[in-house]
Amino acid sequence: MNPPPQSSAESSTARTGSDAADATAEGELAAYRLRRERELNSLYTTARSLTALGEVDEVLHSIVRHAHELIGSDFAYLSLLDAEGYLTVRASAGTISSEFSSGRMPPGTGLGGRVIESGAPFWVSNYREAQGLPHDPTFDLLVPREGLMALLGVPLMVGERAIGALFAADRTERPFEKDEVALFSAFAGHAAVALNNARLYEESRVALRRLEDAYRTIEDQVTTMERAAAVHEALTHAVLTGGGSGDIAQLLVEHLRGTVTVRDRDDAVLAIRFPRGRAGDADADQNVPPDMPADVLPDTSPDMPRDAARDMPSDVPRGVCEEARDTGRCVSTQGADGYFRSVVAVRPGGNHFGFLSLARRAAPEPADVRMLERSAQIMGLLFLMRDARAEAEERVRGELLMELMSRSPLHPAQRDRALARGVDVDHLDVLVVVDCPERTASEVVRQLKPLSTERSGLAGEYLGRATMLLHADDVEDVARTLHRRLRRTLGVPVLVVADRIAGERSRAFTLTQRCVKVIRSLGENDRGASAQQYGMYALAFDPDRSGDLDRFLADSIGTLLEYDRRRSTGLVATATAYFAHSGNLSRTARALHVHLNTLLKRLDRIGSLLGEDWRSPDSALRIQLALRLHELRAAVDASAPDTSG
């Protein structure tokens, strides 16, 4: 069916409506084009302004300020990825909560995590109710304080890598139009480039400053090296021409203009040198320490009084000396008297040989510190050369000790070698064994060797024990004297046992070291004694009399030992405790942790095995001695095995 024909009025009305719609559409299109043109102009203007900035923080705050103005959001903020992958707020504009400006989002959470992972924009009209996002409880506490509702996030990309995200937020629920997202994304692209350029600019400036510092350091080091080379050449020449610690100290005084002190590992002064003063000073010698070594040069000191250096470096805080020794570097401190004291440990090869110190009013410069450290190395070489000579001599003496302790007779050449060192082997009639659990045998031997030289004897390590051979008329006196001196130098308890050699030296060594074990079993750990003082216990440490000991124990307490062995009882321990507490039943029961009735039953059993008179004076003395010898034998057998055979 054909439509009815329109009248001319109806046709005119239709054309008028169509023209109005076209006009409206054209107006909206023109307005859209004008808005887009303003937005693009704003985008390019802000992009150009960003490129003119150099500081990273300045760029960050400029980005969020322009982003806030660009799309008219309530507030904007920018977050960057830190070293742990967290998105941390670095700049914001329009925010009202100070806590929000320090927000930190864990990796993979929130809208920011979605933006970083996808590398694409993402928005929600209501962040609080967005179910598709993994929320972070800590960040969600900041959301209501800021009033955040709608949120748009776009990535900040540098190449293919996201370095952070830029956010626009509103405090009311709303969608973000495609044009807004595209505009915000374009701005984020410019912002990322500007931010990366600012980073590169900052890195370039830092690198330039470091390069300038490096050039200045190189210039200073060249000057220092030239000066140090001259000092090093002088020090080396002094050592090679036979100079000692005093010569090295004097060279340092001439270059450093301060008081230089050299001390050994025991803190004894080896040398001290002062800067030369004016001729004719009346107090040239009055401040010299009374115990100064002979090689001390009595110079006057315009820089520092001699008494101020008297205790160098002992007047330096102990912690400073320990730090210098532990680190191997020079450590400086200023005292209450205003003087700077610099201390460096002499420790070649990690071994502590002493201290080298400088004292003066002026603070030490880096070049002075390096000169002291290098001088300490030269001093260490000097000490090593000295110790190498001493070690060679000690090695010869130690070899002589080992040869004397062996069963083979000495060769005439060995006797001549000993005589050349002032040792007459035919007169070495006393053997000394030193036991010190808190020090190694080599440390004890090092302290024992100078004592042996004083007595024309030999000292060394034999079968793991610090051992000494010497001549002495009074064995007990020499044991006490050696103990007193070793106790002072070692600083810890030490046991010294001496014995007159009768027959083979190896047998005397076996007896003496077994005596050491017995003495320790008796509760002694710090004394000097002769083996003869413990003659009553000779059965316990003389292997040649082990058969006598077996018979004595079998005759005295053999039935108790056999009963305990077969029945796993403790009658021997009960008898030992009974005698130890002088027959007091209550104290004995408490010591054994048993009831009094149990103790009485055990004592009855002992009486049935040993005889009813076992507690009589004569029997008790013999049984008590047997119990003590049995206890000492067990202690000796439990010690390190006897390797002497």
Side-chain angles (χ1 to χ4, degrees), residues 181-262:
V181 175
L183 179 65
F184 206 56
S185 297
F187 175 74
H190 289 293
V193 172
L195 181 59
N196 193 50
N197 288 341
R199 281 180 169 178
L200 295 175
Y201 174 69
E202 181 66 22
E203 291 175 359
S204 298
R205 289 202 307 173
V206 171
L208 180 59
R209 285 197 299 268
R210 289 178 178 173
L211 186 60
E212 292 174 348
D213 293 341
Y215 276 125
R216 285 193 294 270
T217 301
I218 290 174
E219 291 177 354
D220 294 340
Q221 287 182 344
V222 169
T223 303
T224 301
M225 288 175 62
E226 291 176 350
R227 180 186 175 200
V231 175
H232 187 268
E233 182 179 354
L235 292 174
T236 304
H237 177 74
V239 173
L240 293 179
T241 54
S245 55
D247 299 299
I248 293 179
Q250 185 59 41
L251 284 171
L252 289 177
V253 166
E254 294 171 0
H255 287 85
L256 300 178
R257 299 302 302 165
T259 300
V260 177
T261 307
V262 182

Side-chain angles (χ1 to χ4, degrees), residues 461-588:
E461 187 174 342
Y462 179 69
L463 297 181
R465 293 280 194 183
T467 307
M468 181 175 176
L469 291 173
L470 72 158
H471 170 72
D473 297 326
D474 189 336
V475 177
E476 293 184 11
D477 179 69
V478 76
R480 289 193 298 267
T481 301
L482 291 175
H483 168 264
R484 184 170 58 253
R485 297 186 63 177
L486 288 174
R487 183 64 172 82
R488 184 171 60 251
T489 56
L490 292 173
V492 294
V494 59
L495 198 59
V496 179
V497 179
D499 189 26
R500 181 75 64 186
I501 299 174
E504 293 183 354
R505 296 183 181 88
S506 59
R507 182 177 182 277
F509 174 81
T510 301
L511 292 175
T512 306
Q513 72 163 344
R514 282 177 174 263
C515 185
V516 168
K517 297 176 184 178
V518 170
I519 294 175
R520 286 205 174 277
S521 300
L522 294 173
E524 296 282 356
N525 66 349
D526 189 19
R527 68 172 304 176
S530 68
Q532 286 78 7
Q533 291 177 264
Y534 293 85
M536 62 177 297
Y537 300 112
L539 287 174
F541 56 85
D542 189 347
D544 291 343
R545 301 188 63 186
S546 59
D548 295 337
L549 178 60
D550 291 337
R551 285 189 295 272
F552 178 71
L553 295 179
D555 293 341
S556 302
I557 58 173
T559 54
L560 290 185
L561 295 172
E562 181 62 20
Y563 191 90
D564 281 350
R565 186 186 64 78
R566 286 189 290 104
R567 300 185 178 234
S568 298
T569 54
L571 296 184
V572 172
T574 300
T576 302
Y578 176 79
F579 285 117
H581 292 88
S582 303
N584 186 291
L585 297 179
S586 299
R587 292 201 301 269
T588 303

Side-chain angles (χ1 to χ4, degrees), residues 260-449:
V260 177
T261 307
V262 182
R263 291 183 179 256
D264 63 11
R265 58 166 62 92
D266 298 321
D267 208 28
V269 175
L270 295 178
I272 184 169
R273 294 293 185 270
F274 301 92
R276 289 189 177 275
R278 298 180 301 275
D281 281 343
D283 61 345
D285 297 318
Q286 66 180 8
N287 290 319
V288 176
D291 57 347
M292 192 60 61
D295 66 335
V296 168
L297 190 65
D299 298 332
T300 57
S301 173
D303 186 66
M304 179 179 182
R306 291 169 186 253
D307 55 354
R310 176 186 298 272
D311 295 324
M312 282 295 297
S314 58
D315 60 342
V316 178
R318 181 53 52 188
V320 175
C321 292
E322 292 178 355
E323 181 182 353
R325 183 173 55 196
D326 294 340
T327 63
R329 305 303 300 269
C330 181
V331 181
S332 300
T333 184
Q334 187 177 18
D337 55 3
Y339 289 97
F340 288 90
R341 292 169 172 84
S342 302
V343 183
V344 60
V346 181
R347 52 194 304 270
N351 298 315
H352 178 62
F353 281 84
F355 290 103
L356 177 64
S357 58
L358 169 71
R360 67 182 189 185
R361 285 194 178 277
E365 299 178 357
D368 301 332
V369 169
R370 285 190 290 271
M371 189 180 300
L372 273 175
E373 291 177 346
R374 179 167 293 186
S375 300
Q377 295 175 355
I378 297 294
M379 190 79 71
L381 294 177
L382 182 65
F383 287 161
L384 285 177
M385 291 169 56
R386 179 201 64 189
D387 286 0
R389 292 191 296 267
E391 184 179 351
E393 177 64 23
E394 291 174 356
R395 185 167 56 250
V396 172
R397 300 176 76 92
E399 291 172 354
L400 285 171
L401 174 75
M402 293 292 293
E403 293 164 355
L404 285 173
M405 294 300 298
S406 66
R407 293 183 175 87
S408 59
L410 283 183
H411 190 274
Q414 296 170 331
R415 290 178 177 274
D416 293 340
R417 234 181 346 155
L419 287 173
R421 287 159 179 81
V423 178
D424 186 351
V425 296
D426 294 325
H427 284 75
L428 301 180
D429 55 356
V430 175
L431 183 137
V432 178
V433 171
V434 181
D435 183 58
C436 183
E438 297 185 41
R439 297 287 186 269
T440 63
S442 59
E443 289 179 294
V444 177
V445 168
R446 187 168 62 244
Q447 301 298 331
L448 199 58
K449 284 181 176 179

